[in-house]
Each structure stands twice: as C-alpha cells, then as structure tokens.
C-alpha cells in the first residue's frame, strides 16, 4: 500500500487546510517540540480507524477538533483524508474502480465520526479491514513510534505472533474470521431463540385450539340466541299489529268525537260572537264601576288615616295631661317651700331694719378703710415688681461677674506661664546672639530667603492657576476623545463579529466561491437572487460539487434590448464570467415584460432581489438569500475597515 498524501482540516493544531505530500523515498518532518510532528502520525492512526481517545492523547474524542486560540475561534468539525495509490487495482472490489483511493474521516462535535471511501459512506470496520488486508492499520506493528523497537524485542510470543501474521498478510483474514465467528455465534443465538419461539408458538397453538372450540360453541349458542330473539321479535310484531288495529278503531271513534266537538265549537263560536257584540257596553259599565270603586277605596283609606291620626293625637294629649298633673304637684310643693322661705325672710328683714341706722355709718368707715388698703396694696405691688426686677438683674450681673473673674484668673495663669516661657526663650536667644557673630549678614540672608519664599509662593499660585486651566482644557478635550474611542470600539466590535461570522464559512475543505466574489454595495440581493445556492459551490477542482471554466461564450445570445449585465457590478473568478454575462439587471416594473424576450439560459434580476428566468420561472424578493447576506456582510466589513482607519486618525 502506497500513501501519496495526507490532507488535514481542523485536526488538533492544523486549523487551516493542510496537505502533507508523501513522495517516493524517505519523507520526514523536522521541527522543535510542540510544533505538531506527532499530530501527523496521530492523524494517520485516526483516519485508519483508531477509536481510543487515550491513544490520541485526548480526554475525549472531540478533543481532536481544534479548540481555538486567543486570535482564532474554535471549530466544530475536523476532517482527515488519506490518499492511496491504486494503480495495480488491489483494493476491495467495492472500491476498486479508481486509480486513487480517498479514505476520509470527519468528526463533528458531540455528533460522532463519519467514514468515507471515494465519497461513499462506509463503516469503521470497512476502513479497518481495508488497512488490515494491506498489513497495516491504526495499531499495526508497522506504525513504529518511540520505544516501539524495544517493545517488540521484549514482546511476548502472542504479540510476536501478531507481528508475524501481519508480515504474512493474514491479519485481515483474522479480522474476517473473527467477524464470521461473531456471525456464527449470532446465528446460533438466533437458532436458540427460534427454538424458544417455536415452543411458545406450540403453547399458543394449544391455546388457540381451545379458543377455537370455545368460538364454535359461542357460534352455536349465538345462533340459538338469534333464533329465539327472532321468534320473540315476531311475537312482538304480531302484538304491535294488533295494537295498531285497535288504535285505528280508536282513531275512528276519536275522529267522530272530534266532528261532534267541532259542531259544538261552532255553536259556541256563534254565541261568543253574540256576546262579543255586547262586550263594549259591559266593559264601559265595568270601567265606571271600577272608577267608583277606586274613589270609594281612596275615601276609605283617607278615613282610616284620619282615624289613626286622631288616635295618636289623643294619646299625645293624654301624655301631656299626665305631665301637667305632675307639674302642678311640683309647683304646689314649691309654693309650700317658698312660703316657709318668705316667713324666714320677713324675720330677717325686721332684724335688718332694726340695724339699718348703724349700718350706714359702718358702711362709710368700711369704704374709707377699703380705699386706703387698696392704695397701699397698689404701692406695695409696684415696689415688689421693682425689687423683683432689680434682684433678677443683680443676680444675673453677679453670675456674669463671677464667670468673668474665673476666666480672668485662668487667663492670667496662662499668660503668666506664657510670659515665663517667653522670658526663658528670650534669655536663650540673647545668649545665642551674644555667642554668635555676623548677625547682620545672616539677617540679610534671611531677608533674601524670605523674598525667595514670597516669589516661590507667587509662582506656586500662578502654577496652580495654570494647572487648573490645563485641567479644564483636558476635561474639555477628553469628551471628544472618549466619543472617538467609543466609536472606534463600536466599529472594532462590529468588525470582529462580522469577521467571526465570515470566517466560520471559510473553514471548509472546499471554500465556497462566494468568498472570492466582490459585489458593489446595494447589489448583494440581486446577485443572491441570480445565483442562489450555486454560490455555495467551490471552484476547487478537487471538490465534488464545483464551478469549472467554460470558454464557449461566443455562442451565447445577447441580453434583450439595452439591459445592463450584472457582471458590471460584480468582481468574480473567471468560472462565473459566462454565467454573469447572461444575467441582466432591470427594474421591478420591466422584469415581467422583458422576461418574454429571454433566450435559453438567460435570467433577469432587480436590485431588490426579484428574479425572472427564461423558462417562465419567477420569484419575488421576500427575504435575502444567505449568499446575499454574506456578500452584504463582506461589504459592511470593508466599510468598517475604512471607518476604523478614519476613527484611528481622529483618535
């Protein structure tokens, strides 16, 4: 078996499509630790059918998919394709129709693996058996790794036997024998189950026989029941016929009675007409009688109300008479008591008249004494008010003077201590001055330093004013800076998001041709409607569905009238040149009219996304196609790049 090349996409560190060509002779990979040399060997084992994630140095089989980095997002799929030389036609018969075998394995995150040989889905066992027939495989001794030689030398006889069997080319036969044994065991198991099923069917057959006998008995009994029921129904029918005849005789009698009643009703109607003729007079009499009765009823009600009012008035008068009696008794008692009081007052009056002569003199004296006492009392109250106010003022003044004296004493003590301290300092300074010479020069130096300090303070004040003005300018300048930075962040975020969306579609083994197309802004919907799902195909010659170049455009018919071709607004690979030349750009109102003039293969589109095809097919623009959205996103990304450059310049 001759390996030609190995293609990897999204497998571990190979995020981009990578082809590893295996030429004739010795092919080697050289690089530092961690560059991915071992990933190539693991890719070979993986595509050969390795199902143990431990042998792939992973915790799960999904870990073989590229998990992303700081600058690139992770992928959801990984695919490895191995190209084998089959010029001698030694492959199995199912795959022996091509000079080259393409064995691929594709895994999707949380969805498992899929094996293909030359584009056909196969089982993992078919791939393993293919390599086993060629004395190789994922766990074959021919895959020699680090420490493998020593392991083979010290291997047990059973392991050496596997090595010799593979060298002899019979490891595939062992696989087939193992599969045949499994099938035989499965057949034996099926036979045992068949015996069990037959025994169960026998028991069911006996049960069905019993049920059949019961069914026959039930059928006979049911026939007897139906016969008896039919007899019963016949008897009931005979009784119903007799009842019908009797009912008919009764109906005839009832009809005769109805005729007689009809004659009676006619006579009664005649009498009713006569009575109805006299009915208005009777109704007038009734109305008059009713009016008289109503007047009598009203008069009776008024009489009843008057009687009730008289009775209540009488009760009220009785209560007032009783109250008057009580008042008279009380007044008589008061008259008796007042008579006694008057007698007593007469006695006192006589005594007062006897003392009246002395009372006038005593009254004058008492009045003079009272006036004198009142004057003295007023003078005393005034003096009391003056004394009270003076006492309060003196008390307040005394308290204030006491606090002032206390504070003055404390202040005096404090000043005395300060005077003592200043005197000591003065004596110390005098001693130092007496011991120090050149005081005039030092005084001048001090004056110079004080002037410098004053200048420095003024400079500091000026610097603070300048700093405040600079802060104000900085705050004023920070607002547009913040706005520019926010705008740049917004543009970068949108551009990053669009880049991720667009990159998500470029990780396939055969990128779609839409990735290589540039369309003028506003014409995305037109191109998406014109080509549709055809934009998802690739122009890679190895792709199963692809765009190829066809230079027979000189035989194509021109577009009708002065229709503008869509190719004037689209920059695309040469594979799309002929297709775009047969697509015209028209307005929505002219499309349906010009559709009748289209030649085979031609179509018309509008900027809004409407489509008119030469064979009569037409589609209105309801929603943009995925290809149109992708083209619009690419144009938007280009605009964002220019906007980011402008935002950086402003920033």
């Amino acid at each position: 078996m001759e390996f030609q090349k190995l293609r990897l996409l999204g497998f571990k560190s190979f995020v981009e499509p990578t082809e590893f060509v295996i030429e004739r002779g010795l092919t080697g990979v050289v690089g530092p630790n961690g560059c991915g040399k071992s990933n190539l060997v693991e890719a070979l084992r993986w595509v050969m059918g390795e199902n143990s994630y431990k042998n792939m140095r992973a915790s799960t089989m999904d870990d073989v998919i590229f998990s992303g980095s700081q600058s690139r997002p992770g992928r959801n799929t990984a695919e490895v394709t191995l190209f084998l030389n089959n010029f001698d036609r030694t492959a199995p018969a199912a795959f022996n129709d091509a000079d080259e075998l393409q064995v691929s394995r594709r895994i999707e995150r949380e969805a498992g693996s899929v094996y293909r040989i030359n584009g056909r889905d196969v089982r993992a066992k078919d791939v393993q058996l293919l390599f086993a027939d060629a004395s190789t495989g994922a766990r074959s001794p021919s895959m020699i790794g680090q420490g493998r030689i020593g392991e083979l030398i010290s291997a047990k006889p059973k392991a050496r036997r596997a090595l010799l069997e593979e060298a002899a080319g019979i490891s595939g036969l062992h696989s087939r024998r193992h599969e045949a044994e499994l099938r035989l065991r499965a057949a034996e198991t099926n036979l045992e189950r068949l015996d069990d099923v037959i025994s169960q069917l026998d028991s069911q057959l006996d049960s069905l026989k019993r049920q059949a006998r019961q069914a026959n008995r039930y059928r006979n009994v049911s026939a007897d029941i139906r016969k008896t029921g039919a007899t019963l129904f016949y008897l009931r029918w005979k009784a119903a016929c007799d009842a019908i005849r009797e009912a008919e005789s009764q109906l005839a009698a009832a009809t005769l009675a109805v005729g007689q009643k009809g004659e009676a009703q006619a006579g009664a109607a005649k009498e009713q007409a006569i009575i109805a003729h006299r009915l208005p007079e009777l109704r007038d009499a009734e109305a008059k009688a009713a009016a008289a009765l109503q007047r009598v009823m009203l008069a009776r009600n008024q009489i009843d109300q008057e009687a009730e009012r008289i009775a209540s008035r009488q009760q009220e008068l009785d209560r007032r008479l009783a109250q008057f009696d009580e008042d008279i008794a009380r007044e008589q008692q008061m008259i008796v008591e007042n008579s006694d009081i008057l007698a007593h007052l007469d006695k006192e009056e006589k005594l007062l008249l006897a003392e009246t002569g002395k009372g006038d003199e005593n009254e004058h004296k008492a009045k003079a004494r009272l006036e004198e006492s009142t004057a003295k009392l007023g003078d005393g109250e005034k003096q009391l008010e003056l004394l009270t106010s003076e006492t309060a003022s003196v008390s307040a003044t005394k308290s204030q003077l006491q606090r002032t004296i206390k504070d003055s004493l404390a202040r005096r003590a404090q000043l005395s201590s300060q005077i003592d301290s200043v005197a000591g300092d003065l004596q110390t300074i005098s001693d130092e001055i007496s011991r120090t010479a050149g005081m005039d020069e030092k005084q001048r130096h001090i004056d110079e330093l004080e002037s410098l300090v004053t200048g420095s303070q003024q400079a500091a004040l000026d610097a603070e004013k300048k700093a405040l003005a600079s802060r104000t300018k900085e705050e004023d300048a920070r607002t547009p800076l913040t706005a520019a930075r926010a705008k740049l962040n917004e543009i970068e975020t949108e551009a990053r998001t669009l880049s991720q969306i667009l990159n998500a579609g470029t990780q396939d083994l055969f990128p779609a041709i839409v990735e290589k197309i540039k369309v003028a802004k506003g014409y995305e919907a037109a191109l998406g409607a014109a080509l549709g799902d055809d934009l998802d195909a690739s122009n890679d010659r190895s792709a199963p569905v692809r765009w190829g170049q066809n230079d027979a455009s000189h035989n194509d018919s021109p577009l009708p009238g002065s229709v503008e071709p869509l190719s004037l607004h689209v920059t695309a690979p040469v594979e799309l040149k002929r297709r775009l030349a047969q697509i015209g750009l028209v307005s929505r109102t002219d499309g349906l009219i010009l559709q009748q003039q289209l030649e085979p293969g031609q179509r018309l589109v509008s900027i809004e996304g409407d489509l008119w095809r030469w064979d009569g097919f037409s589609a209105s623009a309801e929603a943009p196609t995925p290809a149109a959205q992708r083209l619009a996103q690419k144009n938007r990304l280009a605009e964002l790049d220019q906007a980011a450059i402008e935002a950086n310049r402003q920033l």
Side-chain angles (χ1 to χ4, degrees), residues 237 263 266 324 333 362 534 548 584 639 642:
W237 177 74
E263 294 177 356
F324 287 156
Q333 181 68 28
N362 293 333
D534 295 343
E639 293 177 359
Q642 296 296 327

Side-chain angles (χ1 to χ4, degrees), residues 275-561:
I275 294 171
H277 181 69
R278 295 185 297 173
L279 186 61
E281 298 178 357
L282 296 175
R283 285 180 177 173
D284 292 339
E286 181 188 4
K288 293 178 181 179
L293 178 62
Q294 183 68 22
R295 288 194 297 271
V296 172
M297 292 295 293
L298 291 174
R300 191 187 69 176
N301 292 335
Q302 291 177 358
I303 292 170
D304 291 339
Q305 292 176 359
E306 186 67 22
E308 291 177 357
R309 186 167 58 254
I310 291 171
S312 62
R313 179 64 175 170
Q314 185 177 1
Q315 291 176 0
E316 183 180 358
L317 292 174
D318 291 339
R319 287 195 300 272
R320 293 184 68 181
L321 287 174
Q323 185 177 0
F324 287 156
D325 292 338
E326 292 176 357
D327 292 341
I328 291 169
R330 186 172 59 255
E331 292 294 335
Q332 289 176 355
Q333 181 68 28
M334 291 177 64
I335 289 170
V336 173
E337 292 177 354
N338 290 333
S339 298
D340 296 337
I341 294 171
L342 289 173
H344 183 67
L345 290 174
D346 290 338
K347 291 179 181 180
E348 290 183 353
E349 183 181 3
K350 291 178 180 180
L351 293 174
L352 291 172
L353 289 174
E355 294 179 355
T356 302
K358 297 179 180 180
D360 294 335
E361 184 180 357
N362 293 333
E363 183 179 359
H364 291 298
K365 292 180 180 179
K367 286 182 178 180
R369 196 177 296 169
L370 178 60
E371 292 175 357
E372 184 179 357
S373 300
T374 303
K376 290 181 179 180
L377 179 60
D379 296 337
E381 288 179 353
K382 292 180 180 179
Q383 292 178 1
L384 179 60
E385 290 178 0
L386 293 174
L387 291 175
T388 303
S389 61
E390 290 177 357
T391 303
S393 177
V394 170
S395 299
T397 305
K398 181 181 178 182
S399 300
Q400 185 177 3
L401 291 174
Q402 288 177 353
R403 288 195 299 271
T404 304
I405 292 169
K406 185 177 180 181
D407 295 338
S408 299
L409 292 174
R411 181 67 175 168
R412 180 180 179 183
Q414 184 179 2
L415 291 174
S416 298
S417 61
Q418 290 180 358
I419 290 170
D420 295 338
S421 176
V422 170
D425 295 339
L426 181 59
Q427 184 64 34
T428 303
I429 292 170
S430 299
D431 295 339
E432 290 180 358
I433 290 172
S434 61
R435 291 193 300 269
T436 306
M439 289 302 297
D440 296 336
E441 184 180 355
K442 291 182 179 180
Q443 184 64 37
R444 286 194 301 273
H445 184 62
I446 289 171
D447 294 338
E448 292 176 358
L449 292 176
E450 287 179 354
S451 62
L452 289 175
V453 169
T454 303
S456 300
Q457 289 177 352
Q458 185 64 33
L461 291 175
D462 296 338
E464 287 180 359
K465 291 180 181 179
K466 292 181 180 179
L468 181 59
S470 299
R471 277 194 217 97
T472 305
K473 291 182 180 179
E474 181 185 4
E475 291 176 358
D476 294 338
R478 191 179 299 278
T479 301
L481 177 64
T482 305
R485 186 172 291 131
K487 183 177 180 182
L488 179 60
N489 291 334
E490 181 181 356
I491 293 172
E492 290 179 348
T493 302
E494 186 177 359
R496 194 181 309 113
T497 304
L498 287 177
S499 297
Q500 293 177 358
I501 294 173
L502 294 174
N503 290 334
T506 60
Q507 303 299 322
D508 296 333
L509 184 61
F510 304 108
I513 198 170
V514 70
E515 304 298 335
K516 303 177 181 179
I517 295 176
K518 292 183 179 180
V519 60
K521 184 178 180 181
Y523 295 89
E524 299 89 350
L527 182 61
L531 297 181
D533 295 337
D534 295 343
L535 291 173
D536 295 333
S538 175
N539 62 343
D540 191 341
R541 295 183 179 180
S542 303
V545 179
R546 62 185 180 272
W547 281 92
Q549 186 172 356
N550 190 348
D551 297 330
S553 60
H554 58 276
N555 296 324
D556 295 338
S557 301
L559 292 171

Side-chain angles (χ1 to χ4, degrees), residues 254-270:
T255 304
L256 180 61
V258 167
Q260 296 174 356
K261 297 293 183 181
E263 294 177 356
Q265 191 268 340
K270 184 178 180 181

